[in-house]
Amino acid sequence: MKIKEIIQAIESFAPLQYQESYDNAGLIFGDASREVTNVLLTLDATEEVIDEAIARGCNLVVAHHPIVFGGLKKITGANYVERVAIKAIKHDVAVYAAHTNLDNVRDGVCAEMGRRLGLVKTRVLQPKKGLLKKLYTFVPVADAEKVRTALFEAGAGHIGKYSECSFNGQGEGTFKAGEGTDPYVGTQGSRHFEVETKLEVIFPLYLEGRVISALLSSHPYEEVAYDVVALDNAYQEVGSGLIGELPEEMEEMQFLRYVKEQFGTGCVKYTPLRGKSVKKIALCGGAGSFLLKRAIGAGADVYISSDFKYHEFFDADNQVIIADIGHFESEQFTVELFYHILTEKFRNFAPLKSTIKTNPVNYL
């Protein structure tokens, strides 16, 4: 198995097109065409993790956080990023990161947090726009089912938990086949009228190449008429944060202690209690203060995230309880997510989980 196959498995779950503009997810060091000896899964690709990969015979490290965010102008070992680069390249250890693309998928980092709390009725807190397209095409009625099925198999036609969604209208199309053509219906030089199905399907933009290929290979016409239109709809399956409900209401302090226990954090920083039971919970892995207003607007009783600044705690304004559990703590289960993705795809493959605790923060 090659490194690129591991990458394809991860990116089929969390496409790179879903990462934020500032991010640097993807293969950072290494040759994707090399054979995999084994994979080491981690939150951070630190020097100690690279040492562990070498010692355990792994030539691929899969991390959540990209070790390189911006360009490296020099690689002299002057800081930990440069030292990781030197060591990884010297020992032929590839380093791959799935960061905000893994945060943004519906079953990604936030869903992993939600599972630890037993949340139900979950949904993306802030769905992203600009990730959907619609295909319109025109097919002879007798061939519509063949084309429709090919588009569905290519990944088109998903709306939330529903699949094979399409709209089909019937009308009459015209064309005149010119010299050198081999028309599927009609004859050269004569205007032809054909009863056709207008077929419409939605698809995520990262699948556009696959969907168009499926259309062209399944459609009977020599020249296929189709339109692809970008949509401004919010994609409910992709975006930032998560909101859901506890199976049963809990008292506020009881819930905060439950959060502390489930995430194994040394400290939960929280805003004043509101004297109400809690049931609706919003959360976001990593630095999530940017979603606070969204959590309040969604009616969350508690918003769990990390990296809140002092003055941002005031923004709770007694409308929600902020629970800052720490950056590492909120994302620590990402390793389990990587493990699940890879073992589901490759049933006879056993990636290794790093034993290095990469959290740079300690608590007294």
Side-chain angles (χ1 to χ4, degrees), residues 161-308:
K161 296 183 182 297
Y162 291 83
S163 61
E164 301 190 5
C165 302
S166 69
F167 180 80
N168 303 268
Q170 191 166 301
E172 190 172 58
T174 66
F175 57 84
K176 181 165 69 174
E179 185 177 346
T181 61
D182 182 19
Y184 178 69
V185 290
T187 57
Q188 285 187 18
S190 299
R191 182 187 300 161
H192 178 76
F193 292 80
E194 181 69 23
V195 178
E196 296 176 323
T197 297
K198 180 184 180 182
L199 177 59
E200 304 178 24
V201 288
I202 285 177
F203 61 90
L205 63 83
Y206 79 95
L207 288 178
E208 183 169 356
R210 189 190 307 176
V211 170
I212 299 303
S213 178
L215 169 66
L216 298 180
S217 63
S218 62
H219 202 292
Y221 287 173
E222 277 188 301
E223 299 291 343
V224 180
Y226 68 92
D227 301 306
V228 174
V229 179
L231 303 179
D232 195 41
N233 303 45
Y235 191 6
Q236 300 298 327
E237 298 301 299
V238 178
S240 304
L242 193 79
I243 187 164
E245 297 182 4
L246 295 168
E248 301 290 339
E249 290 185 353
M250 296 179 70
E251 185 272 328
E252 293 166 316
M253 187 54 66
Q254 177 192 12
F255 177 69
L256 292 175
R257 291 194 179 101
Y258 175 62
V259 170
K260 179 179 173 68
E261 175 188 349
Q262 292 302 111
F263 288 90
T265 181
C267 175
V268 176
K269 296 190 290 184
Y270 62 94
T271 51
L273 304 183
R274 304 165 65 214
K276 304 177 181 179
S277 59
V278 300
K279 186 171 179 66
K280 186 175 284 191
I281 310 299
L283 50 82
C284 179
S289 61
F290 71 100
L291 285 176
L292 178 59
K293 288 184 179 179
R294 190 79 180 198
I296 292 171
D301 299 308
V302 181
Y303 178 46
I304 303 167
S305 192
S306 71
D307 298 354
F308 276 84

Side-chain angles (χ1 to χ4, degrees), residues 54 114 139 147 149 192 199 214 229 241 315 355:
I54 296 166
V139 194
V147 174
T149 298
H192 178 76
L199 177 59
V229 179
D315 293 333
T355 61

Side-chain angles (χ1 to χ4, degrees), residues 19-284:
Q19 69 177 311
E20 300 296 334
S21 59
Y22 61 80
D23 203 3
N24 190 37
L27 186 62
I28 296 173
F29 309 126
D31 180 357
S33 66
R34 291 191 62 206
E35 291 288 327
V36 175
T37 56
N38 209 333
V39 180
L40 186 65
L41 310 176
T42 183
L43 192 66
D44 304 281
T46 63
E47 291 178 77
E48 293 80 7
V49 169
I50 302 300
D51 286 334
E52 182 184 17
I54 296 166
R56 300 178 73 179
C58 300
N59 67 344
L60 173 61
V61 171
V62 173
H64 182 45
H65 295 131
I67 186 63
V68 177
F69 263 100
L72 293 176
K73 294 185 177 180
K74 299 178 181 179
I75 306 179
T76 63
N79 55 53
Y80 78 97
V81 174
E82 294 178 12
R83 291 193 294 271
V84 167
I86 291 169
K87 185 170 290 188
I89 293 170
K90 181 178 180 180
H91 293 275
D92 286 327
V93 176
V95 177
Y96 176 88
H99 190 213
T100 53
N101 53 318
L102 194 63
D103 290 328
N104 284 335
V105 292
R106 173 69 177 77
D107 291 322
V109 174
C110 293
E112 206 55 33
M113 293 174 67
R115 279 189 280 271
R116 304 288 162 167
L117 298 174
L119 298 187
V120 297
K121 300 180 182 178
T122 59
R123 58 180 174 84
V124 173
L125 181 58
Q126 181 171 275
K128 293 179 73 68
K129 292 186 175 184
L131 295 178
L132 291 172
K133 291 192 173 185
K134 180 177 276 194
L135 169 70
Y136 301 86
T137 192
F138 308 87
V139 194
V141 173
D143 299 280
E145 180 57 24
K146 176 186 175 183
V147 174
R148 191 183 299 114
T149 298
L151 295 175
F152 292 157
E153 290 177 349
H158 285 265
I159 301 177
K161 296 183 182 297
Y162 291 83
S163 61
E164 301 190 5
C165 302
S166 69
F167 180 80
N168 303 268
Q170 191 166 301
E172 190 172 58
T174 66
F175 57 84
K176 181 165 69 174
E179 185 177 346
T181 61
D182 182 19
Y184 178 69
V185 290
T187 57
Q188 285 187 18
S190 299
R191 182 187 300 161
H192 178 76
F193 292 80
E194 181 69 23
V195 178
E196 296 176 323
T197 297
K198 180 184 180 182
L199 177 59
E200 304 178 24
V201 288
I202 285 177
F203 61 90
L205 63 83
Y206 79 95
L207 288 178
E208 183 169 356
R210 189 190 307 176
V211 170
I212 299 303
S213 178
L215 169 66
L216 298 180
S217 63
S218 62
H219 202 292
Y221 287 173
E222 277 188 301
E223 299 291 343
V224 180
Y226 68 92
D227 301 306
V228 174
V229 179
L231 303 179
D232 195 41
N233 303 45
Y235 191 6
Q236 300 298 327
E237 298 301 299
V238 178
S240 304
L242 193 79
I243 187 164
E245 297 182 4
L246 295 168
E248 301 290 339
E249 290 185 353
M250 296 179 70
E251 185 272 328
E252 293 166 316
M253 187 54 66
Q254 177 192 12
F255 177 69
L256 292 175
R257 291 194 179 101
Y258 175 62
V259 170
K260 179 179 173 68
E261 175 188 349
Q262 292 302 111
F263 288 90
T265 181
C267 175
V268 176
K269 296 190 290 184
Y270 62 94
T271 51
L273 304 183
R274 304 165 65 214
K276 304 177 181 179
S277 59
V278 300
K279 186 171 179 66
K280 186 175 284 191
I281 310 299
L283 50 82
C284 179

